[in-house]
Amino acid sequence: MKTAEIAQRYLDYFERNGHTIVPSASLVSDDPSILFTIAGMVPFIPYLNGTVPPPYPRAADVQKCIRTNDIEEVGKTARHGTFFQMLGNWSFGDYFKEGAIGYAWELLTSSEADGGLGFDERDLWVTVYEDDDEAASLWKKIAGLPEARIQRFGAEDNYWSTGQPGPAGPCSEIYFDRGPKYGRDGGPAVDDSRFTEIWNLVFMQYAITNVRSKTEFDVVGELPKKNIDTGMGLERVAFIKQGVDNMYETDQVRPVLDRAVALSGRPYGAVHEDDVRYRVIADHIRSSLMLLSDGVTPSNEGRGYILRRLMRRSIRAMRLLGVDAPTFPELFSASRDAMKSAYPVVDEDWARISQYAFAEEETFLRTLASGSTILDLAVTQTKDAGGTELAGSEAFLLHDTYGFPIDLTLEIAEEAGITVDRDGFDTLMREQKARAKADAKSRKRALADVSVYGDFRAKGETVFTGYTDLETESSVLGILVDGVPTDRATEGQIAEVILRETALYAESGGQVADKGVIVGPGYELEVLDVQKPVPGLVSHTVEVTRGDVGLGAPATSVVDRANRRAARQAHSATHLVHAALRDTLGKTATQAGSLNRAGYMRFDFSWSQALSAETRTEIEEIANNAIYDNLEVTTRVLPLADAKELGAMALFGEKYGETVRMVDIGGPWSRELCAGTHVATSAEIGLISLVSESSVGASNRRVEALVGHDAFRELAAERALVAELSANLKAPRDQLVARIAELGANLKAAEKKIAAFEAGKLAERAPELAASATTTGPFRVVSAAIGAVGSADDLRTVALAVRDRLGDEPAVIVLGAVAGDRPVVIAATTARAREAGAKAGVLAKTAAGVLGGGGGGRDDVAQGGGTDAALLPDALSAAVRALEVA
């Protein structure tokens, strides 16, 4: 039974039993405390904890999930995968334990001919929470399971909570017996490899508080509405139904594994280490494909870092299998073909997905090449200094700064005959993880518990009137001070105010929040920010500038008209620039993020190379021609499927409901899903002036533009600057470029003459410096700070001139100077000095360490530098002392 068929049978079964079928949410989680949708229940948290009223009493879905906390286990077990799909059925105050158990048992054990999954009842075991007699009794009643196949576990295994105060409850897990080939008999309590968990039924019936750990908390009482949250692992059911040993060999994953085998030429199933690598590749390529399809792009932080790590682990595994050439074009294509029947977007959006994937592989292959060079140098320096162990800090630098894998560092070091201070590396890694964890916790704390908004959201959605009105009368629904609900805010306080209706736009879709005020009898509130803390609810952060405001008070939200007008211009300009980019570069130049505020817009798009000046001009011209043509701007609210069929573009990472707002500028020329505010016709934008274009990653570019009056003021300032230059240089405007080029050439010529003069003066010092040589051990040493020089090259010239004068002696020259306000050191050695053990690279590095910088180089000549020029005498002394142990 194919994976997609299992999923469809699941959905069909629950739809027949009155459940609303809900599409999978994005892998990018709405919850700011987590990066990804890590479990099937994540999209339903607002309904489960009562923050948002559920739109249906019961539902079922197939949810895409990413979980990387067990990434090191991927490939080693039958069930660990970073991307997985969770089949779930949900009840929000509707059916409870008896319904959940009945549905699960019927679907699992009904014959395939009747639409079930066809499991043999004799192969199924269950676990229940140790005190949940009700669940145990229901399993006997509904499924006829004997006591021996119902095992009781403690809270560590069979009690669910979010880890925070709120809803919780016991759970019951269903296990499949894979048979004696896979381990000992006796149920999941004896062997959870033979007995594989396939379904978890969570009975959310209690409210808990004072959560101290997973197993330590206080039960407040029963929830007024009890919920059901279930999750069945699609991959686990698939590998059982398909008769294979693990999830990596199922129909959606195995094609990638087979392609990797073909590329490497090594068989699967022959060598354990190779098999693990093949499974890692198969899993990580699929996970990367799915993350890219949901708009995540490779980067060095957050979600992008996780994606980059998955992709680079795949590249690394292929390298260990003997393949150094690019493999992503074949591996990603194999994954696309395996997944497109379940997720058509991976095929429809292949041009964009493949662009990011292939560029990332190309970048990392270059990283491996450059990292190998850096590592080779570190190894050489370690051995030259008489060491046998590469410092943990060096290995960590390669990993953290260059993305060079530690296992590759270990391999190369071993080949060179030295070890790596793995304990030192691991210590630095732990410190980094601790910092990241602390940062995540602080962010989680800073984003207060959204359950505080539950009572307000339960009264209905905030009505946004700002598309048509800039003032709206309403009333105060809620007030929070320091995150705590209160009935009044007084003059001078910062508070959150929730209204039933508002004309003020809440930040979303790249558009910043409106400016404005909220006024009522005896009070005035300056609006500092407008946000949506939970879906459907708008909260205004305000400063009470006059009077007091209380619950239920009349309130009129007033939008700053000038700011809104400029914000509308900027948002509509963003759409025009997007359309112009696609006209110029093609359909793969898709949006990767945006920001627009009054007078300014920023637009990120998928593209891997800088735009030429001609291309920038063309994009700017197309966008401004659209303004000149005074295109009509229309908005429509329609079903999401209809909007997509009409070709509307969606912003990756944005969440869309079943109905969406579609904005057209000039009909289909610019057609996007957008909840922002816009002008009525394109001429209202006035003017777009592109001011910059830059890189924001290996495959992303960014354009920034000024809009409307801000664009006009910028161009007026440039015109004034041109006029001033023209007057000062006594050249007409059309001759300015030639005149400035002429002045530049004259300046360069003058600089060359000055540099030649200064170099000559420095060279004249060579005899004096050579004559100052002193003896240290077997060496004749020249050590001096010679003041300021034009560049490090000038200092190098002097050092080499001194060395030439001492060429027949075992001479060492260490000179220091200040170049451009920074200290620089040059070390040089003669052939006889090198024979006696002097190494210029070691001396330069020693001196640079005193200066607070770095250095190194060849044995004959090397350079170092730092930040503190006052330490030059100490640096030179340190280098001379290093000779004593050479």
Side-chain angles (χ1 to χ4, degrees), residues 464-587:
F464 175 61
T465 62
Y467 291 132
T468 55
D469 301 321
L470 297 182
E471 292 188 18
T472 294
E473 294 181 359
S474 185
S475 60
V476 177
L477 185 66
I479 301 173
L480 295 93
V481 175
D482 295 329
V484 178
T486 183
D487 59 1
R488 183 163 296 276
T490 59
E491 189 167 329
Q493 281 190 313
I494 304 295
E496 287 184 70
V497 171
I498 297 166
L499 308 178
R500 293 186 183 278
E501 301 89 16
T502 183
L504 292 153
Y505 183 81
E507 180 178 357
S508 62
Q511 181 174 333
V512 302
D514 271 334
K515 295 180 179 179
V517 295
I518 298 172
V519 297
Y523 73 87
E524 182 170 325
L525 315 176
E526 180 186 355
V527 177
L528 307 176
D529 194 13
V530 191
Q531 295 290 332
K532 294 179 179 179
V534 296
L537 188 76
V538 173
S539 174
H540 311 76
T541 299
V542 301
E543 180 180 357
V544 184
T545 54
R546 179 172 61 84
D548 297 353
V549 59
L551 288 175
T556 301
S557 53
V558 183
V559 177
D560 181 320
R561 291 172 180 268
N563 184 76
R564 168 65 79 80
R565 179 183 180 186
R568 286 202 310 261
Q569 290 174 314
H571 202 154
S572 297
T574 305
H575 286 220
L576 294 188
V577 170
H578 188 188
L581 278 163
R582 289 168 66 83
D583 270 4
T584 307
L585 304 178
K587 303 307 180 185

Side-chain angles (χ1 to χ4, degrees), residues 13-97:
Y13 172 82
F14 281 101
E15 187 172 33
R16 289 196 300 270
N17 284 281
H19 291 66
T20 298
I21 304 304
V22 180
S24 174
S26 171
L27 287 168
V28 177
S29 173
D30 282 331
D31 185 340
S33 66
I34 56 177
L35 293 176
F36 298 117
T37 300
I38 58 174
M41 54 85 64
V42 169
F44 295 95
I45 288 176
Y47 308 148
L48 295 170
N49 64 20
T51 303
V52 177
Y56 25 67
R58 52 174 72 183
D61 70 332
V62 181
Q63 176 60 48
K64 300 178 292 186
C65 302
I66 284 279
R67 193 180 297 169
T68 58
N69 55 325
D70 292 328
I71 193 169
E72 300 298 336
E73 297 303 312
V74 171
K76 298 176 183 177
T77 72
R79 59 185 185 276
H80 279 100
T82 51
F83 173 83
F84 59 97
Q85 299 158 90
M86 191 60 71
L87 305 164
N89 59 285
W90 313 84
S91 167
F92 308 108
D94 190 4
Y95 60 84
F96 198 49
K97 289 184 185 178

Side-chain angles (χ1 to χ4, degrees), residues 249-375:
E249 298 175 14
T250 59
D251 63 298
Q252 287 187 344
V253 189
R254 181 67 188 245
V256 182
L257 189 155
D258 289 340
R259 195 72 211 116
V261 169
L263 289 169
S264 75
R266 299 187 190 179
Y268 178 63
V271 178
H272 173 71
E273 290 78 9
D274 285 353
D275 290 352
V276 171
R277 289 164 189 149
Y278 282 129
R279 294 194 285 262
V280 165
I281 293 162
D283 170 84
H284 287 7
I285 291 293
R286 184 173 75 142
S287 298
S288 300
L289 174 77
M290 299 309 297
L291 284 169
L292 285 163
S293 74
D294 269 1
V296 181
T297 55
S299 71
N300 287 330
E301 58 184 23
R303 299 180 181 94
Y305 173 74
I306 299 297
L307 171 59
R308 173 161 284 167
R309 186 182 180 201
L310 292 170
M311 297 170 83
R312 292 186 169 189
R313 278 173 59 90
S314 304
I315 297 167
R316 169 65 178 144
M318 286 302 300
R319 189 181 188 281
L320 291 172
L321 288 164
V323 183
D324 294 329
T327 60
F328 277 9
E330 297 202 45
L331 296 177
F332 269 84
S333 297
S335 189
R336 173 202 62 196
D337 293 343
M339 296 298 294
K340 65 184 180 183
S341 62
Y343 300 98
V345 67
V346 301
D347 192 37
E348 297 164 0
D349 199 26
W350 176 245
R352 185 189 64 85
I353 291 169
S354 59
Q355 180 183 13
Y356 279 111
F358 302 167
E360 180 64 18
E361 182 177 35
E362 181 182 338
T363 299
F364 188 52
L365 288 175
R366 288 199 302 268
T367 294
L368 288 176
S370 60
S372 296
T373 302
I374 294 165
L375 178 55

Side-chain angles (χ1 to χ4, degrees), residues 765-776 779-786 798-799 801-803 805-806 809-816 825-828 843 876 879-880 883:
R765 296 191 62 183
E768 171 196 345
L769 289 169
S772 71
T774 59
T775 300
T776 298
F779 305 109
R780 295 287 287 161
V781 179
V782 175
S783 173
I786 66 171
V798 177
V802 175
R803 186 181 68 176
R805 286 184 169 267
L806 300 172
E809 303 182 56
V812 174
I813 297 89
V814 185
L815 300 182
V825 172
I826 298 291
L843 301 179
L876 297 176
V880 173
L883 277 175

Side-chain angles (χ1 to χ4, degrees), residues 67 78-80 84-87 108 119 123-127 153 156-158 160 171-178 187-189 191-202 229-240:
R67 193 180 297 169
R79 59 185 185 276
H80 279 100
F84 59 97
Q85 299 158 90
M86 191 60 71
L87 305 164
L108 285 172
F119 280 93
D123 293 331
L124 300 177
W125 293 58
V126 300
T127 64
F153 286 0
E156 183 68 32
D157 297 296
N158 277 67
W160 178 91
C171 59
S172 180
E173 297 173 331
I174 305 172
Y175 286 77
F176 174 77
D177 180 2
R178 302 175 73 197
D191 190 332
D192 66 354
S193 294
R194 169 174 171 170
F195 296 88
T196 298
E197 179 199 339
I198 57 173
W199 204 340
N200 187 15
L201 316 178
V202 176
D229 156 14
T230 88
M232 180 161 69
L234 179 54
E235 280 75 14
R236 295 190 184 187
V237 176
F239 81 68
I240 291 169

